[in-house]
């Protein structure tokens, strides 16, 4: 019954990659904590780079600066 | 003063349904816990079916399989 | 398959009140949006009044001021 | 290493305003709690006014009513 | 730079299991999406069984009923 | 009407520091985006160091290693 929320920047993750992530995280929770995969929920949120900051700067700014 | 976050898949909830949900949840919190509706915040997030997983599969995949 | 997160201050909600909230919100999502209750997840988080702010002040401060 | 999630309605915040918010919140956490800005993450989410409720009504309804 | 929030019921996950979860999820994000582990943040939240509902009932009630 | 959620490790932030954070973030949202402080909600969550990971390791492990 776990709930997992994954936030990433919206830089082109494909449906296949997201499916792999959903299945991988669900497996981990079963393997490590014995959680039932049938009620494990995974929600992926893709965030524009203007809306994500680290080190006090947006990812848009960091990408421009080559960071 | 409660804060409620509702995540659903983006499969066509109408503005009317969302308004009904906002008002219904706000009423419940007042009725059950005596919370002031004036400061009760409800935020609904609609998530693409590729980005929502349960049982280790995305909702897109489950819809295709008729689950 | 919705996921609902309810945050309230930790001011003595009982297990019965929380059970009523879980069942009430799950019913609303079924009635308004046709969501399957079997996969509707509700998580309630209780937050200390020092850690909750509105109007620029903590709830602890507001309670002291009789707000 | 703090994580900050800011939710606002999607009513036209510019990239410049969002950058200012990211830098302002990161500075506050450094000044008040001594947190390392290099690992402070800020994520801004912009929510449609139909999906945001306060006082039991959506923001769309409140805007129409001049509230 | 992803941010992952994992919510589970507080039923005795050990520090070792949580460390394994943190490292496993961080590896998945690197392997599948090429995300930098140095800025991948994982936050685990443990929720009392009274505060977690599925199928309209709290986990406390479901455990008592042997579900 | 913004909602801000701040997650930090539970390493002794005082009520005064948390009050300063609530007031500082509320002011920023008013100054930068013109948001009404009366309906700005700030929720601070303090997370055990075993439950917070960065770089694939828990903060507990990193503190022990002097990182």
């Amino acid at each position: 019954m776990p709930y997992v929320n994954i936030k990433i920047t919206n830089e082109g993750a494909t449906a296949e990659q997201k499916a792999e992530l959903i299945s991988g995280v669900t497996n981990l929770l079963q393997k490590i904590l014995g959680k039932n995969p049938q009620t494990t929920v995974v929600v992926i949120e893709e965030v524009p780079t203007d809306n994500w900051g680290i080190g006090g700067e947006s990812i848009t700014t960091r990408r421009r600066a080559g960071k």
Side-chain angles (χ1 to χ4, degrees), chain A:
Chain A
M1 127 226 64
Y3 169 78
V4 181
N5 183 234
I6 301 172
K7 290 189 207 284
I8 53 176
T9 45
N10 65 349
E11 301 180 279
T14 64
E16 286 66 30
Q17 289 172 320
K18 291 186 276 192
E20 220 184 315
L21 204 51
I22 287 168
S23 123
V25 169
T26 304
N27 288 345
L28 269 181
L29 282 157
Q30 181 174 30
K31 209 185 61 183
I32 299 170
L33 291 172
K35 296 299 184 183
N36 179 1
Q38 290 319 310
T39 53
T40 295
V41 175
V42 180
V43 173
I44 301 168
E45 292 179 279
E46 296 173 274
V47 175
T49 56
D50 277 352
N51 291 22
W52 193 297
I54 187 165
E57 293 175 318
S58 77
I59 298 297
T60 306
T61 300
R62 292 170 79 89
R63 292 279 185 264
R64 250 187 239 130
K67 288 186 202 174

